[in-house]
Amino acid sequence: MSDVFADLVGQDEAVVELRRAAAAAAAVLRAGAAALVAAGPVSGDEPASTPDRVDPSTGMTHAWIFTGPPGSGRSVAARAFAAALQCVHGTGCGECPGCHTTMGGTHADVRMVVPEGLSIGVGEMRALVLRAASTPSGGRWQVVVIEDADRLTEAAGNALLKAIEEPPPRTVFLLCAPSTHPDDISVTIRSRCRVVPLRQPPATAVAEVLVRRDGIAPDVAQWAAAAAQGHVGRARRLARDPEARKRREAVLAVPRRLTGVGAAFDAASALIEAAEAEAEASVTESDTTERAALETALGAGGTGRGAAGAMRGAAGQLKELEKRQKSRATRAQRDALDRALVDLAGFYRDALTMALRAPVAPVHTDTAALAGAGAQKWDAEGSLRRLEAVLACRAAIEANVKPRIAVEAMMLALWKG
Ligand SMILES: [Zn+2]
């Protein structure tokens, strides 16, 4: 038996704060109910307090930002907190209907916004803000969770800001972003939110949860936790999915393959194509299902009166869907490529720590010997330059440089050292 915070790995301080806030939120609801009873049905007196307003000093507030590196559990934390707010005991017991439906993604008053494309548009955000303003059907809170809030467009951010500035009494916004840097979240939104910083969970904590929750053998869990560099979801995939392990091995073979200019370009192509293939595998199925569903809904092939007009409208909707799917595919490719770059950075980081004889465990235990050989050949300085080349490639892609160009530049830098 475990409560909703059990899967938030290695985040003890954040959990303490969220538990306190959930208890305060439950107290607000109880005070509201008590005030209604005290006021009585025909009392003309002003109520002693405005019980629906959430007082920030009580530990609860209406807008939160969860920050931390990818895989640290930002959305896990937001979902768990949402469950605790909907929990009938106000604790996130993990047992009651409020906890169950929130964790299962079916609670009527909890909306999870998971952007599929590269950005969250203003239309989507306006619709969301509007629905978030309605009275919670379960009598507790309307909770809106926005994953990847750093992907809000400027207009969408402004729509959200307006809602956060004048919050409906029972609405809570939970945003997730890598950091509170102005590139990730606007300064004005940040200033109205309480920040819950999550840290990269230690490998031992990640391994522990893989063993306990997913039933993975301890030695496999330890290897996967180290190789995933604190990314819980990635660690689970590596432990369970042979394809993911194969892709990782191919990436870690790159340093060995860089024997000349031609080889560097080949390695760049291989890396890009692997990311494309991985992304395609992940989106193809949902693309086909969505298109079929939309065509059915639009009654494709109809010939009755008005069918021509309906088809013109349908063409527009299909185009819209294709646009969304393309954006999702691009994002999936970027994500796959980024995972590969993080693995590669881990390899050069290992070489660097070995060259410096730093007393830290290697990220990739299975390529430690190779990293050791690199450390001898390149020394600390050469290892650092290579690590920086990988990080520069990630930064360039983040800044919208064409992935192929960024990866080719990186491979050449890795080869030249
Ligand atoms: Zn509960």
Side-chain angles (χ1 to χ4, degrees), residues 92-310:
C93 67
E95 304 287 319
C96 73
C99 285
H100 262 293
T101 51
T102 305
M103 296 305 275
T106 57
H107 196 293
D109 297 332
V110 179
R111 285 176 227 302
M112 303 282 297
V113 183
V114 187
E116 293 187 324
L118 290 171
S119 62
I120 306 174
V122 66
E124 194 181 340
M125 185 50 65
R126 284 208 185 111
L128 190 77
V129 162
L130 203 64
R131 283 204 297 181
S134 60
T135 310
S137 62
R140 297 186 72 87
W141 306 95
Q142 280 282 6
V143 185
V144 179
V145 180
I146 302 174
E147 288 187 29
D148 300 319
D150 52 309
R151 291 189 162 118
L152 290 171
T153 62
E154 198 183 338
N158 288 337
L160 175 64
L161 177 62
K162 227 178 271 170
I164 291 180
E165 278 177 334
E166 293 165 28
R170 290 287 185 87
T171 304
V172 181
F173 292 94
L174 308 179
L175 316 184
C176 307
S179 75
T180 54
H181 189 278
D183 282 353
D184 287 336
I185 206 94
S186 85
V187 175
T188 38
I189 291 183
R190 151 81 190 82
S191 70
R192 285 174 168 78
C193 294
R194 190 177 305 169
V195 178
V196 181
L198 303 177
R199 56 199 183 108
Q200 179 171 313
T204 47
V206 176
E208 188 271 321
V209 79
L210 292 185
V211 172
R212 172 174 58 76
R213 185 188 58 191
D214 303 312
I216 289 162
D219 54 333
V220 177
Q222 265 159 28
W223 165 81
Q229 305 177 58
H231 193 305
V232 184
R234 171 93 175 128
R236 188 184 316 126
R237 240 186 336 270
L238 281 177
R240 281 184 153 176
D241 179 4
E243 286 298 312
R245 282 201 290 274
K246 243 179 18 205
R247 280 193 294 268
R248 171 180 169 278
E249 276 162 24
V251 168
L252 292 178
V254 162
R256 244 178 324 199
R257 292 175 51 187
L258 295 173
T259 51
V261 179
F265 278 103
D266 286 349
S269 284
L271 201 66
I272 297 277
E273 278 152 27
E276 282 171 358
E278 186 186 341
E280 195 175 319
S282 73
V283 299
T284 302
E285 198 182 327
S286 50
D287 279 5
T288 316
T289 323
E290 277 175 6
R291 192 180 172 99
L294 181 58
E295 281 176 350
T296 309
L298 295 170
T303 51
R305 200 201 298 250

Side-chain angles (χ1 to χ4, degrees), residues 4 83-84 86-100:
V4 296
Q86 305 295 8
C87 174
V88 298
H89 307 294
T91 57
C93 67
E95 304 287 319
C96 73
C99 285
H100 262 293

Side-chain angles (χ1 to χ4, degrees), residues 35-48:
L36 285 178
V37 172
V42 289
S43 165
D45 295 340
E46 282 289 302

